[in-house]
Amino acid sequence: MIRRVYTFTYQYCRNGHMLYSHDGIISRKKCQQCGESYIPACEACNTALQNSFSSPVYLTNSQPVNFPPRPDFCPECGNAFPWAKGDQEVKVASFDFWDMLHPSVIGVARQRFESGHYADAVESALKALNVQVKKIYKTKTGEELDGVPLMRKAFAHTAPIIQLGDLTEQTGRNIQQGYMDLYAGAIAGIRNPKAHDNIVIDDIRAIHHLFVTSLLFYKLDERL
């Protein structure tokens, strides 16, 4: 059934369909399955895609026995290839995650997200969180703070203005300390870079950040 080993030349179209040839010549410019063009290199860093493999061949149809696994990410820069991005978009489209998020996040982020402004959606959600914490803190203290200093003082693990755990028990103190770090970390590590620089993120990363923000809103609702 199987004869000698051949070396094949191959390429992928933007939808991930493979075209291969055992004589080293590929003349097609468009995919015969979907009509998309073939890509020879990573579109982010221009690293050439691997384009050859060796395999035994079935005698009946000259088809390779072993095909190489299709990569989803560039080994040099880590950028997702177009076919992998398409898979991610399908997964996001089929996953109605908005029902799981806090209403305050939905109110400011959904329209921005659905129009493709992913970083702006995340920044807006975290700004809304900052505003809510700021209002509570000012009502209780008369003092106005913002950003990381606000979060560290409002949720301080000793004598917090906004209490999240029972401070008479170790578990409660751990909750207070941990969430103080989460609130401050979300502002410093997620909101501030997006507010101060032109950062681009994809929809998947935006969803991750929106869930973090939603968690912090729900925890704020549970304050003691």
Side-chain angles (χ1 to χ4, degrees):
M1 288 291 294
I2 299 175
R3 57 183 177 181
R4 69 185 181 86
V5 173
Y6 279 82
T7 297
F8 291 84
T9 301
Y10 70 101
Q11 57 190 6
Y12 292 111
C13 79
R14 296 184 63 81
N15 285 327
H17 301 129
M18 177 197 279
L19 175 67
Y20 64 89
S21 168
H22 70 274
D23 60 10
I25 300 172
I26 297 179
S27 58
R28 289 184 182 272
K29 302 300 182 184
K30 299 288 185 178
C31 177
Q32 60 186 358
Q33 295 186 56
C34 67
E36 280 283 1
S37 58
Y38 290 97
I39 59 172
C42 172
E43 295 176 328
C45 69
N46 208 36
T47 298
L49 275 66
Q50 184 176 334
N51 65 356
S52 65
F53 69 97
S54 296
S55 172
V57 175
Y58 286 110
L59 180 62
T60 54
N61 58 12
S62 298
Q63 182 179 354
V65 175
N66 300 314
F67 286 88
R70 189 187 69 186
D72 284 339
F73 302 94
C74 175
E76 284 296 318
C77 70
N79 183 67
F81 292 126
W83 52 84
K85 291 177 182 176
D87 289 344
Q88 290 178 337
E89 288 168 2
V90 169
K91 289 175 183 176
V92 171
S94 64
F95 173 43
D96 188 9
F97 59 90
W98 293 106
D99 289 343
M100 304 172 68
L101 295 178
H102 192 280
S104 296
V105 173
I106 297 170
V108 297
R110 184 165 190 167
Q111 185 175 356
R112 291 175 170 86
F113 182 96
E114 292 181 345
S115 63
H117 298 103
Y118 303 126
D120 186 41
V122 173
E123 182 187 348
S124 297
L126 281 164
K127 280 182 177 178
L129 178 67
N130 183 79
V131 167
Q132 184 64 21
V133 174
K134 194 173 185 176
K135 286 179 179 177
I136 297 170
Y137 182 84
K138 187 174 182 180
T139 298
K140 291 190 173 186
T141 67
E143 183 182 8
E144 187 159 331
L145 287 176
D146 190 72
V148 173
L150 168 66
M151 300 303 165
R152 294 220 171 269
K153 203 159 183 183
F155 300 103
H157 63 285
T158 56
I161 303 303
I162 303 175
Q163 187 175 335
L164 302 176
D166 182 356
L167 301 183
T168 65
E169 298 180 354
Q170 186 61 47
T171 296
R173 292 192 291 273
N174 289 342
I175 290 171
Q176 191 73 38
Q177 172 78 53
Y179 271 94
M180 177 191 72
D181 291 336
L182 283 173
Y183 280 97
I187 296 297
I190 301 175
R191 189 204 70 168
N192 287 355
K194 290 174 178 55
H196 300 148
D197 205 349
N198 186 25
I199 290 178
V200 177
I201 60 174
D202 63 16
D203 50 354
I204 302 297
R205 181 52 59 89
I207 291 171
H208 294 164
H209 289 166
L210 291 175
F211 268 102
V212 170
T213 310
S214 179
L215 168 66
L216 297 179
F217 263 113
Y218 276 118
K219 194 63 184 175
L220 187 61
D221 290 345
E222 297 170 2
R223 63 188 181 275
L224 302 179

